[in-house]
């Protein structure tokens, strides 16, 4: 019996697992298959299939072969470059989970990619942070510029120690080169759209 392991891999490996998982989910949905149906035709448990689709498991080659057989595709399709099948549309169900992929996506915060990949001139994320979420212990600095729009809840954004308290409907723009961190000191989840425009190197 094949055993899958949860992924605590390096960022590059996590990105590969997320890419493979997104392809499995996309192909399954394109074929109108439920998780239960794919589980049935592959002999894999629904839990394992779900973990693979979310990039949370490191599947063996045997498992990938089972998935490929169930989806009626060559196993190599899982590793074909993104450019051959890239769509400009990101469906809600197909958002890539960036947990442990970026420095900011830690703890119980949910970071989901709204752009097709992270290689363009802008990168947009859907970010949900629970009450008590605090990144002040690890301030962030990197090239580029950031924009945030608060959809619901409240959040404190610190720029070089200066606190900017944002509420629903507020937005903020700042240079990513300024040390910045975030804190949800309130009693409700904060949902926001965050856009990063990295400076070209």
């Amino acid at each position: 019996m094949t055993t899958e392991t949860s992924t605590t891999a390096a960022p590059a490996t996590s990105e590969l697992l997320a890419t493979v998982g997104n392809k499995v989910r996309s192909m399954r949905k394109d074929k109108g298959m439920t998780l239960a149906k794919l589980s049935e035709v592959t002999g894999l448990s629904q839990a394992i299939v779900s973990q693979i689709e979310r990039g949370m498991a490191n599947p063996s080659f045997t498992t990938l072969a089972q998935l490929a057989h169930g989806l009626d595709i060559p196993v190599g399709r899982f590793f074909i470059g993104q450019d051959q099948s890239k769509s400009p549309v990101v469906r809600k169900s197909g958002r890539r989970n960036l947990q442990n992929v970026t420095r900011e996506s830690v703890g119980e915060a949910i970071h989901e990619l709204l752009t097709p990949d992270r290689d363009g001139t802008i990168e947009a994320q859907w970010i949900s942070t629970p009450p008590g979420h605090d990144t002040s212990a690890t301030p962030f600095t990197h090239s580029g510029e950031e924009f945030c729009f608060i959809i619901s809840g409240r959040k404190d954004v610190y720029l070089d120690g200066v606190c900017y308290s944002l509420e629903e409907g507020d937005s903020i723009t700042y240079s990513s080169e300024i040390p910045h961190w975030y804190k949800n000191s309130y009693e409700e989840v904060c949902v926001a759209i965050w856009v990063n425009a990295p400076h070209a190197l």
Side-chain angles (χ1 to χ4, degrees):
M1 180 177 178
T2 304
T3 301
E4 312 305 331
T5 57
S6 295
T7 172
T8 54
T13 301
S14 294
E15 290 192 24
L16 175 60
L17 295 179
T19 297
V20 170
N22 283 337
K23 287 185 178 181
V24 171
R25 179 173 55 239
S26 176
M27 292 174 187
R28 172 176 65 77
K29 288 181 176 293
D30 286 346
K31 292 179 179 293
M33 300 176 71
T34 62
L35 271 174
K37 182 61 177 178
L38 184 56
S39 171
E40 177 186 340
V41 298
T42 60
L44 300 169
S45 72
Q46 288 189 53
I48 286 178
V49 175
S50 177
Q51 288 178 357
I52 291 171
E53 288 192 352
R54 290 180 289 126
M56 303 302 290
N58 191 348
S60 66
F61 183 81
T62 300
T63 297
L64 289 177
Q66 289 173 269
L67 286 169
H69 177 74
L71 293 167
D72 194 27
I73 61 168
V75 70
R77 279 280 299 279
F78 293 133
F79 304 101
I80 292 175
Q82 294 268 40
D83 289 341
Q84 298 190 30
S85 59
K86 184 188 296 185
S87 168
V89 177
V90 177
R91 303 293 180 190
K92 180 179 179 180
S93 61
R95 291 177 191 164
R96 178 176 162 194
N97 188 334
L98 297 179
Q99 183 71 24
N100 296 322
V101 174
T102 64
R103 285 187 59 211
E104 292 89 345
S105 57
V106 295
E108 297 181 2
I110 296 173
H111 288 237
E112 295 179 330
L113 193 62
L114 296 175
T115 41
D117 54 47
R118 304 182 64 212
D119 301 324
T121 54
I122 62 169
E123 174 186 312
Q125 296 182 30
W126 175 280
I127 299 179
S128 176
T129 50
H133 184 73
D134 184 356
T135 64
S136 59
T138 56
F140 309 110
T141 55
H142 50 89
S143 66
E145 188 172 9
E146 296 186 38
F147 167 84
C148 166
F149 176 78
I150 304 296
I151 296 175
S152 64
R154 291 182 289 173
K155 192 173 206 174
D156 295 332
V157 177
Y158 289 83
L159 302 180
D160 204 17
V162 179
C163 178
Y164 296 88
S165 296
L166 305 179
E167 300 181 348
E168 179 178 331
D170 292 344
S171 60
I172 187 171
T173 305
Y174 55 91
S175 168
S176 305
E177 296 176 0
I178 300 172
H180 53 282
W181 61 92
Y182 319 106
K183 188 173 183 179
N184 182 348
S185 307
Y186 309 100
E187 298 180 354
E188 58 187 317
V189 172
C190 178
V191 178
I193 290 179
W194 226 280
V195 179
N196 180 42
H199 290 160
L201 298 178

